[in-house]
Amino acid sequence: MRAVVVTTFGGPEAVRVVETEIPEPGAQQVRIKVAAASLNPVDAGVRAGAFGGAGKQLGLGWDVAGTVDAVGATGAWRVGDEVIALHHGMGRPLGTHAEYVVVDADAVAKAPAGVDAAHAATLPLNALTAVQALDLLELTPGQALLVTGAAGAVGGFAVQLAAQRGISVTALARPADEEFVRALGAAEFTSEGVAAASVDAVLDAAVLGARALTWVRDGGAFTGVIPQAAPAPERGVRTGAVEVTADGTRLTELVALVEKDVLTLRVAGTYPLADAATAHARLAEGGVRGRLVLVP
């Protein structure tokens, strides 16, 4: 099969498409014939060497949508099931940017009905990151949340999920994105920031760090999206960062929200697997709204 990997670190030119053996599922695993797999900033980070792994082959891709085509010793899934999954972790020789991928059975959810594979592939990593970040904030209905990077993939899901919970959301994004983020459910919009200590919590999808922390009231909460990169606590504000985990049960709940039109799936463009380096170059240009998706 074909798979997208890096063997040396660098820019988009480091991305390679190689021929390799089709992986076999072990106990409590399934193999998915990939129909679509989204490209995320974490893939660019792996490619650039941000997470280490020098001297090894590193597979790219965390999100997948496709069809189960082989199962290990598990009764949860059947050959032919249309599914999505988060293939979580660093340092793997193969990721989801491939023609086939093996994932843990408990990371899998049924694909959302009525949604094409390219859109379905944009859900797992970003929506799980958003919902797990919101869980860390422990907000209750009526409290005020500022989401930075609100027009991005994680930020957009965070706005919708928070609004669905009855939380009052202020969206921080570029002025051109105001109409979009308000349509997602943001009650307020800003392109500059808010008054100091004026919100109960910040979900910092834009990775503003200490600057965003100043906007949280004393005793509030701050959650970032890069593990070990959160600012130090101050003024009684809890700080931390989400470290996303694969969770098929939670992913199933998110699929249900897609099917109820609570969550919006966005594809910024699709690329053949062979053009993975071109997709990386487009991601590096910035300004992408939604996810770029690779299609084997």
Side-chain angles (χ1 to χ4, degrees):
M1 71 166 190
R2 295 174 302 154
V4 180
V5 303
V6 293
T7 55
T8 59
F9 299 138
E13 74 284 350
V15 174
R16 300 177 55 205
V17 180
V18 300
E19 290 285 343
T20 188
E21 293 184 0
I22 297 176
E24 295 295 332
Q28 304 303 315
Q29 291 184 318
V30 301
R31 186 173 69 207
I32 299 171
K33 180 176 173 58
V34 179
S38 61
L39 173 63
N40 288 284
V42 67
D43 298 308
V46 171
R47 183 202 75 219
F51 307 107
K56 300 194 304 182
Q57 173 178 296
L58 300 175
L60 300 178
W62 290 44
D63 287 319
V64 61
T67 304
V68 173
D69 97 313
V71 298
T74 174
W77 300 102
R78 298 287 183 267
V79 171
D81 287 343
E82 293 186 359
V83 297
I84 60 174
L86 174 63
H87 187 36
H88 174 273
M90 303 290 185
R92 306 158 310 193
L94 295 172
T96 65
H97 295 171
E99 293 179 303
Y100 295 88
V101 64
V102 168
V103 302
D104 292 339
D106 60 7
V108 178
K110 186 176 290 186
V115 174
D116 64 62
H119 282 82
T122 67
L123 183 68
L125 175 58
N126 295 288
L128 282 170
T129 299
V131 76
Q132 291 171 10
L134 285 171
D135 290 346
L136 291 175
L137 293 174
E138 300 180 336
L139 296 174
T140 57
Q143 287 193 288
L145 169 68
L146 176 69
V147 177
T148 73
V154 172
F157 284 135
V159 170
Q160 291 186 302
L161 289 164
Q164 191 253 351
R165 296 182 180 189
I167 297 164
S168 179
V169 179
T170 297
L172 174 63
R174 297 175 182 175
D177 291 318
E178 179 175 1
E179 182 178 353
F180 171 71
V181 295
R182 286 188 181 275
L184 294 179
E188 302 293 339
F189 174 83
T190 177
S191 61
E192 301 293 337
V194 295
S198 62
V199 296
D200 296 301
V202 164
L203 195 162
D204 187 24
V207 197
L208 300 181
R211 179 185 174 213
L213 183 62
T214 66
W215 299 326
V216 182
R217 65 165 175 80
D218 294 0
F222 171 103
T223 292
V225 294
I226 300 179
Q228 289 83 51
E234 62 178 50
R235 298 180 290 106
V237 177
R238 290 186 294 110
T239 65
V242 62
E243 187 163 1
V244 66
T245 57
D247 186 337
T249 300
R250 204 64 185 278
L251 189 54
T252 297
E253 296 171 358
L254 294 167
V255 166
L257 294 178
V258 171
E259 294 175 339
K260 294 176 182 177
D261 294 324
V262 173
L263 294 181
T264 301
L265 304 178
R266 294 178 285 158
V267 172
T270 59
Y271 294 79
L273 194 68
D275 292 342
T278 303
H280 274 255
R282 173 65 189 94
L283 181 64
E285 291 173 0
V288 176
R289 289 292 177 257
R291 282 285 172 250
L292 303 174
V293 179
L294 298 180
V295 179

